Amino acid sequence: MIKITKFGGSSVANAIQFQKVKNIISADESRRFVVISAAGKAGEDKNKITDLLYLCRAHVDYHVDYHGIFGMIKERFLRIKKELGLSVEIEDELNELEDKLPGISTDELVSRGEYFTSKMMADYLGFPFVDAKDVIRFNYDGSVDFEATGNALNVELLKNDRFVLPGFYGSLPDGTIKVLSRGGSDITGSILAKCLHADMYENWTDVSGFMMADPRIIENPCHIDRITYAELRELSYMGASVLHEDAVFPVKEANIPINVLNTNKPEDPGTIILDHIEPSEKDHRITGIAGRKGFAAFTLYKQHMVEDVSFLSKCIDVFAKYGVSVEHMPTGIDSASMVVKEKDVASRIYDIIADLREAVNPDDIKYVNNISIVACVGRNMATRVGTSGRLFTALGEEHVNVKLIIQAFDEINILVGVATEDFEKAIKAIYGNFVRSVK
Ligand code: ASP
């Protein structure tokens, strides 16, 4: 059995967190391949090392002295080292980094958070350290070169049957360091799981998996025990962010389950993410509710619109010209609404309207903002009749006006657009009807 065990920044923020990681690793012999983020926030430690490293870069760019900020980074690492009594040599490397800092690339600089945190963790666990620049390989376009990564990992496996690997970075074909997007250590864990054909990818963080709704809106929401990748994508897009959204792709292809667990409460059940889950009468009809504020809609009216074969594509081209993605597009016979993120269009509403007029000559255009979208997600909705009926009854009973309705044929997700002032009320109404009543 091979488990990839990835620990996020809060799990490695200080010596106490390091001890929790060690307990988790020692509790299970299959936890042999460990991926580590840069020390993040926890308790007294209010800064993420990665943020401080980016801040050093900004200081250099604006010709401001960076040694004060760098001193905070050094102090943090050396404190962890001292408190755990580690022997790994990092002082010289830290001093060297401080001296050469203005001359190195941003990617190399910010990758050092993971590098130093992992070196210390390897020493603490008594595991070999493997540098991500030697095994995680990218193509020049930034995509992962799975073949080269797999080969490099196989070479490593001939030498070691366990190791600690820093997350977040790897190297380009010419050897230069390249980082993933923020939160990217989740993706490193997933790449490793795929390349080592792991049985399980454990992602240890500071929450016990996923909840059915945002605890800031629903007090003490039910825990989600199991969720499919597709459901998770829908919920994450709508704001339920625990895992980096690109982390599911490598493991999904290889059909490896992800278990999201809590380093601070290792005994809590996590949430298992799987490719496919057989429908069961025992499961809730819905898996989760999430939502996002900040949408706007342009609605175009034109007689005989439905007969104009290029009407919609011409509209989308206008938004594309401004780099704006049309996220949803409900249509009537003679009208169509283009739903977009308000922040993407806020400064260019009149230009977009003028271009739409020129492109399709509509009879009228209306712009509405302050829309929120609530997503009700569940694999079991397709197999049980009456879900949407209950959903709209629940909203109606709470006097929530539904402005927009979207459901695709796979029936995994029903999206409703409401005025932003009704956002929380809508989530409470749906949760109250499908899960349990809320005050
Ligand atoms: N340290 C990086 C960040 O803060 C990557 C990670 O933690 O996953 O974004």
Side-chain angles (χ1 to χ4, degrees), residues 363-383:
D363 302 332
D364 198 6
I365 301 186
K366 279 198 183 118
Y367 173 77
V368 188
N369 62 353
N370 264 329
I371 300 172
S372 290
I373 298 184
V374 174
C376 185
V377 174
R379 58 187 178 273
N380 291 320
M381 297 194 318
T383 52

Side-chain angles (χ1 to χ4, degrees), residues 379-391:
R379 58 187 178 273
N380 291 320
M381 297 194 318
T383 52
R384 299 189 204 168
V385 176
T387 307
S388 55
R390 270 175 69 173
L391 176 75

